[in-house]
Amino acid sequence: MIEEIISWLIAAKEKIILAQNEQLMIDEKSNRKDLVTNMDREIQAFLIEKIHSAYPQAKILAEEEGYSDLPDLSGQVFIIDPIDGTLNFVVQGENFCIMLAYYEDGIGQLGFIYDVMRDELYWGGKKIGVYKNDIKLPQPKDLPLEKGLVAINSYLFGHDRFNIHAIGEQSIGVRMCGCAGLELIAMLKGNHIGYISNLSPWDYAAGNVLLDVFGMKYSGFSGDPLTFHGREYYLAATPTAYETILEMLEFE
Amino acid sequence: MIEEIISWLIAAKEKIILAQNEQLMIDEKSNRKDLVTNMDREIQAFLIEKIHSAYPQAKILAEEEGYSDLPDLSGQVFIIDPIDGTLNFVVQGENFCIMLAYYEDGIGQLGFIYDVMRDELYWGGKKIGVYKNDIKLPQPKDLPLEKGLVAINSYLFGHDRFNIHAIGEQSIGVRMCGCAGLELIAMLKGNHIGYISNLSPWDYAAGNVLLDVFGMKYSGFSGDPLTFHGREYYLAATPTAYETILEMLEFE
């Protein structure tokens, strides 16, 4: 299954590279900062077609058009973000990624985060480890909040929701790049100790599988499990930083 | 002079790569988030030695140890940031750069921003253009604030100083990566329309030379020229976004 999925992702990447010479068709979703392009739709349709023909019984949860909710995660489920960081994709032409996760009965088995323009595929799962292309990543250190960089969603940080500003101050620095997949890659590399945001299931499904490999922690802001329904507050961090951040978050 | 400076920068890069297998010596400067390492000092000493032997009459303004102030910019002046983004260098081992600028009587002639780990050297000057390694960069579009991404210093954004929060909201998104040189590269590539921060001369000297080539604007927060003395508030943007941001900034 792994080689098969990787071949789909490489084909998806080639579609994106080819399309760079053509004009993107861009639509606004909920507001002027929430965009979808013809490439988001094409990549999603391409991946769904591949999954349907290889795994006809599998269910699909995906960002665009009619696939964005599932009543439950029973059985085989593929979770897709065809282009994570669509705004970066449109404006920068880089700093976006394709994400795909494979779950069985709600348990993450495989995760793939593909930084397309850098040609860096982060992938893995339990008993496999986490790889960057074909290089196995070492276990990141379990650094505390005050020794590491933390990525924070700009709305939450800018509005100082839930005491997040104090969390940023206690860290050694706040970063934001506008792409959940890249923020999760930064944790897998040990570059960041945490990520605090407001995400949909396809934003965190693949990353969580890879964080699991390293024993990193993630949850909603009350420490509650993620629901995989709609947008929800999301905290991921090293085990030590997770405890500190959860305690500092003023939520409910 | 250009080839000579590039050869120094490549040699400096090699020193950094070699040192990655050794333990860094890290000291705090003003606080726990303001670091200096033995590599900052070594790279600065190396570049100063090269400049002294090639241009013995030139003056030097540089971040570390005894070179951090000049009474004026008359004559030939080299301005050096040996490692810009030292915190990223220490914690991430990437997302930092070496910056070097050459000024004559206060006028920027050449600028070099070297993203060491990606091996991307952005360099150029008036009548030369701006290059990424040996590829000439196209003129970025003169996008307005509401059509572009803006990088904002995390302290200013987090504390909503000078109405900066509203500026971020009016843009299509706020980014922060912890390295002035990389934020300026993002402008040169057309990825970002502006950068708002609090910088020292070695943080902006090289970038300003390259922004000049594209007719981008920069100044202090009142529109006043930068002083090249100590830290000061810094705004750079496309001509159209610059006017909007300057008007929105509530300064003085």
Side-chain angles (χ1 to χ4, degrees):
Chain A
M1 183 184 256
I2 292 171
E3 281 180 27
E4 191 176 25
I5 292 173
I6 292 177
S7 75
W8 303 341
L9 295 173
I10 290 171
K13 174 208 162 154
E14 283 162 5
K15 286 178 185 291
I16 291 173
I17 301 289
L18 270 176
Q20 285 184 318
N21 301 316
E22 290 162 31
Q23 187 69 35
L24 279 177
M25 285 178 288
I26 303 165
D27 293 314
E28 291 180 10
K29 294 200 285 190
S30 59
N31 62 65
R32 72 185 174 95
K33 303 177 188 183
D34 182 18
L35 305 179
V36 60
T37 74
N38 57 306
M39 287 311 295
D40 297 71
R41 297 192 182 102
E42 283 175 32
I43 298 301
Q44 176 164 315
F46 169 78
L47 292 172
I48 288 176
E49 184 206 310
K50 292 292 184 190
I51 293 164
H52 274 158
S53 62
Y55 303 93
Q57 74 294 357
K59 296 188 288 188
I60 288 168
L61 180 59
E63 184 168 19
E64 315 300 342
E65 296 174 332
Y67 287 91
S68 62
D69 201 36
L70 272 185
D72 65 76
L73 294 187
S74 62
Q76 292 187 305
V77 179
F78 286 85
I79 305 177
I80 302 168
D81 193 341
I83 296 183
D84 175 51
T86 299
L87 196 53
N88 288 350
F89 172 62
V90 170
V91 175
Q92 306 187 334
E94 60 182 340
N95 299 318
F96 61 90
C97 53
I98 305 172
M99 295 201 285
L100 192 150
Y102 173 64
Y103 279 62
E104 281 177 4
D105 292 323
I107 312 290
Q109 306 293 324
L110 297 171
F112 300 82
I113 306 177
Y114 194 7
D115 179 340
V116 170
M117 300 311 293
R118 292 189 184 88
D119 202 19
E120 291 179 357
L121 174 63
Y122 293 79
W123 64 276
K126 218 169 265 187
K127 296 182 194 160
I128 299 171
V130 179
Y131 287 78
K132 171 187 168 179
N133 297 332
D134 52 4
I135 297 163
K136 196 166 189 175
L137 294 187
Q139 169 79 37
K141 287 185 198 160
D142 179 19
L143 290 175
L145 175 61
E146 58 274 19
K147 292 283 186 191
L149 296 167
V150 62
I152 304 181
N153 168 283
S154 67
Y155 182 88
L156 296 177
F157 187 65
H159 291 78
D160 192 16
R161 298 294 307 279
F162 316 120
N163 199 35
I164 272 176
H165 189 223
I167 294 167
E169 291 278 297
Q170 188 156 324
S171 78
I172 54 164
V174 175
R175 301 288 183 262
M176 48 189 73
C177 77
C179 175
L182 294 183
E183 303 294 18
L184 292 164
I185 287 173
M187 287 185 63
L188 298 170
K189 291 161 101 173
N191 282 7
H192 293 179
I193 55 92
Y195 180 36
I196 307 174
S197 194
N198 184 14
L199 301 178
S200 297
W202 40 86
D203 294 318
Y204 58 69
N208 286 0
V209 177
L210 304 178
L211 293 174
D212 275 339
V213 175
F214 289 142
M216 306 266 205
K217 309 254 276 179
Y218 50 82
S219 69
F221 281 4
S222 309
D224 45 315
L226 298 160
T227 67
F228 289 78
H229 290 292
R231 275 180 97 81
E232 55 196 317
Y233 292 115
Y234 176 86
L235 161 64
T238 62
T240 300
Y242 175 86
E243 296 303 329
T244 308
I245 296 171
L246 203 61
E247 204 164 291
M248 290 181 76
L249 277 169
E250 292 172 2
F251 188 68
E252 288 174 340
Chain B
M1 183 185 255
I2 293 171
E3 281 180 27
E4 191 176 25
I5 292 173
I6 292 177
S7 75
W8 303 342
L9 294 172
I10 291 172
K13 174 206 163 152
E14 283 161 7
K15 286 177 185 292
I16 291 173
I17 302 288
L18 271 177
Q20 285 184 318
N21 302 317
E22 291 162 29
Q23 186 70 35
L24 278 177
M25 287 177 288
I26 302 165
D27 292 314
E28 291 179 10
K29 293 199 287 190
S30 59
N31 63 65
R32 72 186 173 94
K33 302 177 188 184
D34 181 19
L35 305 178
V36 60
T37 74
N38 57 307
M39 287 310 295
D40 298 70
R41 296 191 182 103
E42 282 175 33
I43 298 300
Q44 176 164 315
F46 170 77
L47 292 173
I48 288 175
E49 184 204 311
K50 292 293 182 190
I51 293 164
H52 273 159
S53 60
Y55 303 93
Q57 74 294 358
K59 296 189 287 188
I60 288 168
L61 179 60
E63 184 168 18
E64 315 301 342
E65 294 177 334
Y67 287 91
S68 64
D69 201 35
L70 272 185
D72 65 75
L73 294 187
S74 62
Q76 293 187 304
V77 180
F78 286 84
I79 305 176
I80 303 168
D81 193 342
I83 296 182
D84 174 52
T86 299
L87 197 51
N88 288 349
F89 172 64
V90 169
V91 175
Q92 307 187 334
E94 60 182 338
N95 300 318
F96 62 90
C97 53
I98 306 173
M99 296 201 282
L100 191 149
Y102 172 63
Y103 280 60
E104 281 177 4
D105 292 323
I107 312 290
Q109 307 293 324
L110 297 171
F112 301 81
I113 306 178
Y114 195 7
D115 179 340
V116 169
M117 300 313 292
R118 293 189 184 86
D119 202 18
E120 291 178 357
L121 175 62
Y122 293 79
W123 64 276
K126 217 170 267 187
K127 298 182 193 160
I128 299 170
V130 179
Y131 287 78
K132 170 186 168 180
N133 296 333
D134 53 4
I135 297 162
K136 196 167 187 173
L137 294 187
Q139 170 79 37
K141 287 185 196 158
D142 179 20
L143 291 174
L145 175 59
E146 58 273 21
K147 294 282 186 192
L149 297 167
V150 61
I152 304 181
N153 167 283
S154 67
Y155 182 88
L156 296 177
F157 187 66
H159 290 79
D160 191 16
R161 298 295 307 278
F162 316 121
N163 199 35
I164 272 175
H165 189 224
I167 294 167
E169 291 278 296
Q170 188 157 324
S171 78
I172 54 166
V174 174
R175 302 288 183 261
M176 49 188 73
C177 76
C179 175
L182 295 183
E183 303 294 19
L184 292 164
I185 287 173
M187 287 186 63
L188 298 170
K189 292 162 100 172
N191 282 8
H192 292 177
I193 54 92
Y195 179 36
I196 308 174
S197 193
N198 184 12
L199 300 179
S200 297
W202 40 86
D203 294 317
Y204 59 69
N208 287 359
V209 176
L210 304 177
L211 293 174
D212 275 339
V213 175
F214 289 144
M216 305 263 206
K217 309 254 276 177
Y218 50 82
S219 70
F221 280 4
S222 310
D224 46 314
L226 298 160
T227 66
F228 289 80
H229 290 291
R231 274 179 100 80
E232 55 195 317
Y233 292 116
Y234 176 87
L235 160 64
T238 62
T240 299
Y242 175 85
E243 296 303 329
T244 309
I245 297 170
L246 203 61
E247 205 164 288
M248 291 181 75
L249 277 170
E250 292 172 3
F251 188 66
E252 289 174 338

